Amino acid sequence: MDIKLDPSRDDLPLVANTSHILVKHYVLDLDVDFESQVIGGTIVLFLESGNRFKKRSSSTEVACPSESNEACKFRMPEPCQIPVTNTKTFSSKIGYNDFVICGKGEKDTSGKDGNHDNQEQASGISSSKYCCDTGNHGSEEFLLVLDCCDLSVLKVEEVDVAAVPGIEKFTRSPKLRNQIVHEVMALPADRWREQLDYYARCSQAPGCGELLFDTDTWSLQIRKTGAQTATDFPHAIRIQYRTKPQGRSVTWTSDQSGRPCVYTVGSPINNRALFPCQEPPVAMSTWQATVRAAASFVVLMSGENSAKPTQLQEDYSSWHYYVTMPMPASTFTIAVGSWTEMKPEICSSNDVATERSFSPSEADFRYIGVCGHMEYPCRFQKASATTQKIIPHRVFAPACLKGACQETLLPLIPPCLSAAHSVLGTHPFSRLDILIVPANFSSLGMARPNKEKTGHVSDSGSSVIRHGLNPEKVFMQVHYLKGYFLLRFLAKRLGEDTYFSFLRKFVHTFHGQLILSQDFLQMLLENIPEEKRPELSVGNIFRDWLESSGIPQPLQRERQALAECGLAQQVSAEVAKWVRVNRRPRKRKRKDREEVFEKLLPDQLVLLLEHLLEQKTVTPRTLQSLERIYRLSEQDAEVRHRWCELIVKHKYTKAYRDVERFLQEDQAMGIYLYGELMLSEDPRQQHLARRCFELSREQMDKSSAEVVAEMLF
């Protein structure tokens, strides 16, 4: 029996049995339909079992939403004809020309740059009370459990990889399908194009038998009659499914130009409402995806290639992306909308030369040091990549933002990439796409919980994230701020040269691997001479910075020192001027001289407004002068947020339009303002809050909408 879960207080379950079997590669073949707000198609999973998986007589418990200890019930999919999108009139076959197979000694005739132009609810499951057997399942059959939520699964089948032409070279016995999958996975890193091609071909092979499956709130459970262990279970399975409009992994909304778009939002449930997957970070995998949409849309994904559309019939296009670096499924992202690629009006020849001279090529692999990660085409072993300061990059945004992007954003990217290379060393990825998302994107949406906070991990690999679905957690920034100041504290204590030298060494040592805070701190202290780290230890740092509430003592001392720096003293002088202005009577004597205010940087403006927020009363005349002198309504979001706080605190009605604009255009940061408007108990301010919420509610991030609704109603 399925459990109804409370998203405001319960934990988020990770039920995938990753200790038994791992997904090593996903092949997605999807259609995007804006009319029905559905993404649908197929996903093929290529699986790998461990050497320890043998037939067992005892069961292994896994957290599973079931109210009894009865065996989970399975069903064969009933015949159904549910149109996923209106694009099914054309073939869903992947274009195999996207990959060029290159054997030893053969010339790679593909593009030298490595890019291909394409021709629910909360859970509180932490007890073994809710369990099902994933080892033998009572009936001596292995159970594959995938993390899944808000998906309509239509069919699950084994893929007959032995039917792929030319596949026989991977095994002496073509009937051993699992052996074929294993051999494809085992191809060396320098044959990654060939590997991707075979994954694509295998994913389009015919089915060779439907599999039993069942779904509940948080999982998709699959078994094959007679398959008693993970080794016996099919290692290539195809799942036909579609998303639901209310699924929390993606948001269907409108961009700044009012055109429809959809994108992954960094939901607390990650991507499990986008495709069935293994959620625990230990499940590192690669993927490739073909996505079809109307020709007026651009499809962007977190792939390694700069995909271009292939025109299909009836005004539809197909886009293909892939990754060769194994990463957690939560890092998979997609955005589909009427984006425009923003290009600089005058292209810097130096930047172009830098990008072209270091284009990736399989022939360029060189052994530079030893990598600690699993094998993949690693840029850290490519001589050209290690010196590439500026990687190829694209910027996409609604057409209405073209001017702002060209004037402000585009010039910043090359120096930022160069600075990142200077501080951290080799760029881990070969390219970068930047998308200007709509206002409802949650600014902390991509923050992920630490694995150590998931509670008890069962023998199967399942666990829970404590309070992972509490919508208020998204807005708790204390741990991020303390982490930022901890890194600043360490840099100052150790010296920037020593600290940044360590950062480069750390990135080079641990790239491509999962890392905990302890690993970072332990390596840092091991690489610093004792005389430079008095009283510093992993235990002390955790106690003072991560486990204690409030502001750490070292940071309090730093705050006192910062108050004496030149920029802060300049702000203090300006605050004193504004306090004098605010105290003057409306009709003042002629001999009183006008105050002359200095020009302030954005960070100084934030500090100035924070000081003024401490004043018990600020007159409308003073507020009007503040806005006029600093043009506060035209400043960045941080400054405008403090300005809106002043407006609300002092009920400055003439500037309520600035509050309305902030609530609608900066929705993630506006959450705090809703609370202040309601706490004021001023009817006009409360009416303003409710009106803005009604205007923005349908476009808001769902967690944000839940939190605001609790404040208002």
Side-chain angles (χ1 to χ4, degrees):
M1 183 176 175
D2 204 7
I3 298 175
K4 299 303 179 185
L5 305 165
D6 183 353
S8 67
R9 61 180 176 83
D10 286 322
D11 303 333
L12 173 64
L14 307 178
V15 297
N17 52 338
T18 54
S19 294
H20 296 157
I21 195 167
L22 287 173
V23 179
K24 304 302 291 183
H25 189 78
Y26 298 92
V27 179
L28 298 99
D29 189 32
L30 303 174
D31 297 279
V32 180
D33 184 6
F34 280 91
E35 185 174 344
S36 62
Q37 295 191 343
V38 164
I39 299 174
T42 63
I43 182 171
V44 177
L45 279 58
F46 293 88
L47 303 157
E48 181 179 67
S49 58
N51 295 328
R52 65 184 183 278
F53 301 128
K54 301 177 181 179
K55 293 183 180 180
R56 324 165 197 218
S57 58
S58 61
S59 65
T60 301
E61 289 184 344
V62 57
C64 172
S66 173
E67 285 190 342
S68 71
N69 289 326
E70 297 177 4
C72 300
K73 298 180 180 179
F74 287 80
R75 58 187 170 84
M76 288 296 292
E78 298 178 359
C80 56
Q81 295 183 357
I82 306 175
V84 177
T85 72
N86 56 5
T87 66
K88 286 298 182 183
T89 53
F90 23 87
S91 170
S92 63
K93 299 284 186 183
I94 293 178
Y96 299 129
N97 290 333
D98 291 342
F99 304 98
V100 179
I101 301 177
C102 305
K104 280 190 175 181
E106 295 180 2
K107 183 179 180 181
D108 179 358
T109 57
S110 64
K112 292 183 179 179
D113 62 352
N115 301 331
H116 304 301
D117 295 351
N118 298 322
Q119 312 266 337
E120 204 141 80
Q121 301 288 322
S123 161
I125 300 165
S126 57
S127 168
S128 59
K129 170 185 175 183
Y130 307 118
C131 66
C132 56
D133 184 351
T134 67
N136 299 85
H137 202 268
S139 60
E140 303 298 324
E141 289 172 346
F142 175 77
L143 179 66
L144 170 66
V145 181
L146 299 172
D147 292 298
C148 171
C149 176
D150 290 331
L151 294 178
S152 296
V153 179
L154 310 178
K155 180 181 179 181
V156 182
E157 63 181 348
E158 181 178 0
V159 178
D160 188 6
V161 296
V164 176
I167 202 74
E168 62 273 3
K169 72 178 183 179
F170 287 112
T171 178
R172 295 178 181 178
S173 177
K175 293 184 179 180
L176 297 178
R177 301 187 187 95
N178 285 2
Q179 181 63 25
I180 292 173
V181 173
H182 172 74
E183 295 295 339
V184 171
M185 290 178 179
L187 285 173
D190 61 357
R191 294 173 65 184
W192 62 270
R193 292 183 187 276
E194 182 180 1
Q195 185 181 55
L196 287 177
D197 178 77
Y198 273 111
Y199 278 137
R201 293 178 184 273
C202 289
S203 73
Q204 292 299 325
C208 55
E210 294 192 21
L211 303 177
L212 299 164
F213 74 92
D214 198 11
T215 59
D216 56 33
T217 304
W218 292 111
S219 70
L220 167 62
Q221 305 148 31
I222 306 169
R223 68 180 175 92
K224 179 183 179 180
T225 303
Q228 298 178 342
T229 68
T231 304
D232 300 331
F233 189 81
H235 286 194
I237 64 172
R238 181 186 296 116
I239 302 170
Q240 181 184 352
Y241 76 99
R242 63 177 184 177
T243 65
K244 297 180 180 179
Q246 70 272 22
R248 293 197 173 197
S249 291
V250 298
T251 287
W252 301 85
T253 185
S254 299
D255 64 19
Q256 293 87 335
S257 296
R259 296 183 176 182
C261 63
V262 60
Y263 57 90
T264 42
V265 291
S267 164
I269 66 169
N270 293 336
N271 286 321
R272 66 180 74 184
L274 178 58
F275 60 92
C277 59
Q278 291 182 325
E279 269 290 298
V282 68
M284 306 272 276
S285 59
T286 54
W287 58 264
Q288 60 199 91
T290 297
V291 179
R292 288 169 295 278
S296 59
F297 291 104
V298 172
V299 178
L300 301 175
M301 301 182 74
S302 50
E304 296 172 7
N305 59 312
S306 297
K308 296 180 181 178
T310 295
Q311 191 66 39
L312 303 176
Q313 58 180 329
E314 299 181 6
D315 297 325
Y316 278 82
S317 296
S318 174
W319 302 71
H320 186 79
Y321 288 89
Y322 64 83
V323 297
T324 60
M325 176 182 175
M327 290 183 288
S330 59
T331 63
F332 178 99
T333 60
I334 183 172
V336 185
S338 299
W339 325 118
T340 299
E341 183 176 357
M342 303 295 170
K343 298 181 179 180
E345 294 179 348
I346 302 176
C347 187
S348 169
S349 58
N350 291 334
D351 292 347
V352 173
T354 302
E355 293 180 7
R356 289 178 179 171
S357 61
F358 299 116
S359 297
S361 168
E362 288 179 359
D364 187 44
F365 273 90
R366 298 183 185 180
Y367 190 80
I368 302 177
V370 178
C371 293
H373 54 70
M374 63 184 75
E375 188 180 20
Y376 66 85
C378 178
R379 285 173 53 81
F380 284 76
Q381 296 193 20
K382 298 167 67 175
S384 61
T386 60
T387 56
Q388 185 182 16
K389 296 181 179 180
I390 303 173
I391 57 175
H393 52 275
R394 305 184 297 182
V395 177
F396 293 86
C400 65
L401 298 179
K402 181 178 180 179
C405 285
Q406 289 182 332
E407 179 181 349
T408 305
L409 180 59
L410 292 180
L412 289 175
I413 299 174
C416 286
L417 289 172
S418 182
H421 180 274
S422 174
V423 173
L424 301 176
T426 305
H427 292 289
F429 303 106
S430 59
R431 64 173 206 96
L432 174 68
D433 276 348
I434 298 173
L435 172 65
I436 308 300
V437 295
N440 63 352
F441 184 83
S442 177
S443 60
L444 293 177
M446 293 304 293
R448 304 296 178 187
N450 186 301
K451 184 182 176 183
E452 285 205 330
K453 300 300 183 183
T454 60
H456 172 72
V457 179
S458 75
D459 291 340
S460 71
S462 66
S463 61
V464 295
I465 297 175
R466 300 299 185 192
H467 308 296
L469 284 166
N470 187 332
E472 296 180 4
K473 285 197 69 177
V474 177
F475 309 103
M476 302 301 178
Q477 302 184 47
V478 174
H479 46 303
Y480 298 105
L481 292 173
K482 289 177 74 173
Y484 164 76
F485 283 110
L486 170 59
L487 295 180
R488 285 194 57 205
F489 164 76
L490 292 172
K492 187 173 182 180
R493 170 69 71 90
L494 304 175
E496 289 192 356
D497 290 342
T498 300
Y499 179 71
F500 288 135
S501 176
F502 160 76
L503 278 186
R504 285 189 290 274
K505 182 177 181 180
F506 176 81
V507 171
H508 190 275
T509 302
F510 288 111
H511 68 275
Q513 303 174 63
L514 295 175
I515 292 300
L516 300 176
S517 301
Q518 294 96 314
D519 300 318
F520 174 85
L521 294 172
Q522 189 65 47
M523 182 178 176
L524 172 65
L525 297 181
E526 288 175 354
N527 281 267
I528 304 301
E530 276 196 39
E531 60 270 16
K532 283 194 173 184
R533 52 180 177 90
E535 301 179 1
L536 281 183
S537 68
V538 174
N540 289 344
I541 293 173
F542 264 73
R543 182 195 64 207
D544 297 339
W545 288 86
L546 305 179
E547 295 173 353
S548 302
S549 61
I551 301 176
Q553 286 296 325
L555 187 54
Q556 292 185 22
R557 291 193 292 268
E558 184 179 349
R559 286 180 65 187
Q560 296 170 357
L562 286 175
E564 300 173 2
C565 79
L567 292 176
Q569 288 182 342
Q570 184 182 11
V571 172
S572 298
E574 298 303 297
V575 170
K577 294 177 185 177
W578 283 108
V579 170
R580 289 196 296 269
V581 167
N582 190 56
R583 290 174 178 171
R584 286 174 182 166
R586 189 174 185 86
K587 292 183 178 180
R588 55 189 179 86
K589 300 178 181 179
R590 289 186 178 181
K591 64 180 181 180
D592 291 342
R593 64 176 183 177
E594 292 282 347
E595 295 285 359
V596 178
F597 297 99
E598 301 293 331
K599 186 176 181 180
L600 299 179
L601 298 170
D603 286 346
Q604 290 179 298
L605 281 176
V606 170
L607 185 58
L608 170 73
L609 296 176
E610 286 179 346
H611 281 300
L612 293 179
L613 278 167
E614 297 172 0
Q615 297 295 312
K616 184 176 181 179
T617 303
V618 179
T619 67
R621 184 180 73 256
T622 302
L623 292 169
Q624 184 179 24
S625 298
L626 270 170
E627 203 287 326
R628 175 176 53 82
I629 290 173
Y630 299 120
R631 305 176 72 90
L632 294 175
S633 61
E634 300 174 15
Q635 297 289 340
D636 63 32
E638 291 285 352
V639 175
R640 288 187 289 112
H641 187 207
R642 302 311 193 283
W643 169 232
C644 288
E645 287 183 287
L646 269 175
I647 295 170
V648 172
K649 178 178 179 178
H650 301 290
K651 299 180 175 60
Y652 183 42
T653 58
K654 289 184 178 179
Y656 277 2
R657 64 187 182 280
D658 291 340
V659 177
E660 294 181 18
R661 176 194 163 203
F662 192 88
L663 291 177
Q664 295 180 53
E665 295 184 7
D666 301 273
Q667 293 176 13
M669 295 181 67
I671 302 301
Y672 306 98
L673 273 184
Y674 278 110
E676 291 169 19
L677 287 166
M678 297 307 294
L679 288 173
S680 71
E681 298 184 353
D682 179 81
R684 185 170 177 179
Q685 289 192 358
Q686 292 182 343
H687 176 71
L688 184 154
R690 294 190 176 99
R691 186 176 75 252
C692 288
F693 181 59
E694 289 304 319
L695 291 173
S696 307
R697 186 173 198 166
E698 294 302 317
Q699 287 78 37
M700 286 183 75
D701 167 74
K702 293 179 181 178
S703 294
S704 302
E706 288 180 13
V707 173
V708 174
E710 289 186 5
M711 295 179 187
L712 303 186
F713 306 109

